[in-house]
Amino acid sequence: MTDRSCLAIILAAGLGTRMKSAMPKVMHAIGGHPMLGHVLETATRAGSDRIAVVIGPDMSPVESLVAATASSAVCFVQHERKGTAHAVLAARPALEAPVDDVIVLYGDTPLITAEAVETVRRALARGADIAVLGFEAADPSGYGRLLVEGGRLVAIREEKDATDSEREVSFCNSGIMGFRGALLPELLDAIGSDNAKGEFYLTDAVEIATGRGLTVVAETGPVEDVLGVNNRVQLAECEEIFQARMRRSAMLSGVTLVAPETVFFSYDTKLGADVVVEPNVVFGPGVSVSSGAVIHAFSHLEGAFVDEGASIGPYARLRPGAEIGQGAKIGNFVEVKKASVEAGAKVNHLSYIGDARVGAKANIGAGTITCNYDGYNKFFTDIGAGAFIGSNTALVAPVSIGDGALVAAGSVIVKDVPDDALAVARGQQVVKEGRAVSIRAIKERMSAERKK
């Protein structure tokens, strides 16, 4: 399709009323990414040179998302919501530049694939003036019906306007339509609002085009690709399909998911070949895991990079900015935030490493914490290569532990420790021989007196 120019118009003005939310509907997330973000990325992958996004008034979060996601996208405001054709008209300035294909998409159909869009574009390339993407519905209730005669699409009938016989049709409208670019403006001008809802339906373009002897066709796509979201139940249903797709894709690319149905991905999760993911792992946005790494059970990763052969968890948490080096070990109940743990280093259990560097082959004992926050500012802790930090140590940042240094268990380190030095920073132990006997006697006497 590279020889044909394409404008994608994405309708995204919905308020989210049925979502019971103050947030615009298209900002609700699937796989950690707003629904509209998914559609923008699909439009780009399908070869759209330009993207026009139709939004409602006062939707600054949507505008910000569009600007951050697609450099070729421009927002247009639909000030009154009077139907899909009225929404497309809001983007009319985008139609002034010549274009071969115009594809109309919806910001609340997050599962639409580039392949589905390309199906519509191929129909236009074969000579269709309008191409509509349809699907076969087991239960067509609520959908507009695609009425086909002699292999040509002659009308799209909204259910409220359909006859009894038309309601028997199971070939349904996804809403996704493609137009020959030069044709669309005059079709929009010809669409009226003589229907049950008094709105301007983009689907009426089909009957208008047929009446003018133009070529209108219907293409068939998978029903999963075109599922729309109007409420939180449907949002969860789309999330389930998205997760199933991600799991399948990961396994086919060489990732082992021990219990696939318990692993949850974000839209941008990247896993290398021979990665093993144990049960009940959650990947938040921004995670990349290199080949041969193991993510053990009940771990949560977000905004993190895991290098080859590293081991994470079980019950580990990698927060944004965590960078785990080759062959490093992050063990159970360890949290890492904005810190690098270099190759071969070990943070095996019950520790917090934040705003820090842990040098190669360093060993961090259980219960160690980097005290990086004073209530106002964050400070950095640098732990050198081969350093050994004893259990229950508090490293009060800013502080530096040299290469090969040893820190005794239970220390509170507030000053830099040179290379290969031993640091001991704890209260002196005092032993009083036999004192336990007298203390027990006193306690027993006091207890007996209280019972009188």
Side-chain angles (χ1 to χ4, degrees):
M1 308 302 297
T2 55
D3 59 336
R4 294 179 63 86
S5 59
C6 180
L7 166 68
I9 299 177
I10 302 175
L11 307 188
L15 289 173
T17 303
R18 282 181 283 179
M19 302 290 288
K20 309 296 184 185
S21 174
M23 185 166 61
K25 179 167 67 169
V26 296
M27 293 299 292
H28 287 265
I30 297 290
H33 196 37
M35 291 192 286
L36 177 57
H38 287 277
V39 181
L40 285 164
E41 290 166 3
T42 293
T44 299
R45 288 196 301 272
S48 299
D49 308 288
R50 295 181 293 124
I51 301 174
V53 183
V54 179
I55 64 175
D58 302 318
M59 284 190 172
S60 56
V62 179
E63 291 183 89
S64 298
L65 172 67
V66 171
T69 305
S71 59
S72 63
V74 177
C75 290
F76 298 89
V77 178
Q78 182 188 19
H79 292 281
E80 297 180 88
R81 294 171 176 84
K82 295 183 177 180
T84 50
H86 185 263
V88 174
L89 274 170
R92 188 157 197 162
L95 295 169
E96 293 175 359
V99 65
D100 294 317
D101 304 336
V102 178
I103 305 295
V104 178
L105 304 171
Y106 294 83
D108 60 0
T109 56
L111 302 178
I112 187 66
T113 63
E115 291 76 16
V117 177
E118 289 165 357
T119 295
V120 175
R121 292 195 64 196
R122 281 194 293 270
L124 296 175
R126 291 193 299 267
D129 295 299
I130 300 177
V132 177
L133 187 65
F135 62 96
E136 286 290 340
D139 178 7
S141 301
Y143 292 106
R145 309 304 203 275
L146 299 183
L147 307 182
V148 179
E149 295 179 4
R152 296 293 179 91
L153 180 64
V154 297
I156 304 175
R157 193 78 73 229
E158 297 298 326
E159 186 169 62
K160 289 185 178 181
D161 302 310
T163 64
D164 290 342
S165 61
E166 289 170 343
R167 289 194 178 101
E168 296 295 320
V169 174
S170 62
F171 191 32
C172 296
N173 178 32
S174 72
I176 295 167
M177 302 177 69
F179 297 85
R180 181 163 56 85
L183 174 68
L184 182 55
E186 59 184 275
L187 286 177
L188 291 171
D189 290 336
I191 292 172
S193 59
D194 184 17
N195 52 63
K197 295 181 70 174
E199 293 185 350
F200 297 86
Y201 294 146
L202 186 61
T203 50
D204 287 350
V206 170
E207 283 188 271
I208 294 169
T210 299
R212 295 179 180 183
L214 300 173
T215 301
V216 183
V217 299
E219 300 292 329
T220 303
V223 63
E224 287 185 351
D225 287 2
V226 297
L227 289 177
V229 173
N230 290 306
N231 55 51
R232 308 226 185 207
V233 173
Q234 293 172 342
L235 184 72
E237 291 169 349
C238 283
E239 180 74 40
E240 183 177 1
I241 294 168
F242 170 84
Q243 293 298 335
R245 287 179 175 180
M246 292 292 287
R247 293 163 187 153
R248 177 178 174 79
S249 176
M251 290 186 287
L252 290 176
S253 68
V255 175
T256 294
L257 303 182
V258 176
E261 68 282 1
T262 71
V263 177
F264 290 85
F265 292 93
S266 284
Y267 71 104
D268 59 353
T269 304
K270 295 180 176 63
L271 304 181
D274 293 318
V275 167
V276 175
V277 183
E278 292 183 355
N280 298 295
V281 170
V282 176
F283 294 101
V287 174
S288 179
V289 181
S290 300
S291 299
V294 178
I295 312 299
H296 293 283
F298 293 97
S299 294
H300 187 286
L301 295 77
E302 180 179 358
F305 170 74
V306 179
D307 209 340
E308 294 181 2
S311 177
I312 308 298
Y315 295 96
R317 185 181 182 199
L318 301 187
R319 291 171 57 193
E323 296 185 0
I324 312 304
Q326 187 172 11
K329 166 70 176 177
I330 303 299
N332 48 292
F333 302 104
V334 171
E335 180 179 342
V336 180
K337 188 274 298 183
K338 199 177 180 182
S340 62
V341 179
E342 296 180 355
K346 297 179 180 179
V347 190
N348 274 317
H349 30 224
L350 301 165
S351 295
Y352 169 70
I353 304 296
D355 296 283
R357 178 187 76 96
V358 178
K361 297 186 178 179
N363 192 308
I364 309 300
T368 295
I369 60 172
T370 56
C371 306
N372 57 328
Y373 183 51
D374 66 357
Y376 297 93
N377 298 294
K378 298 288 180 71
F379 298 95
F380 189 76
T381 298
D382 189 80
I383 301 171
F388 184 94
I389 310 299
S391 297
N392 290 321
T393 292
L395 303 172
V396 183
V399 71
S400 176
I401 310 299
D403 292 348
L406 303 179
V407 176
S411 294
V412 178
I413 301 299
V414 297
K415 297 179 181 179
D416 291 351
V417 179
D419 292 354
D420 295 315
L422 168 64
V424 183
R426 59 193 181 205
Q428 182 177 359
Q429 181 174 320
V430 177
V431 177
K432 296 184 180 293
E433 296 287 346
R435 182 62 62 88
V437 176
S438 60
I439 290 174
R440 282 195 293 269
I442 292 170
K443 296 291 185 183
E444 289 171 1
R445 185 171 62 253
M446 293 173 63
S447 176
E449 289 175 354
R450 282 196 300 269
K451 293 177 181 179
K452 291 181 179 179

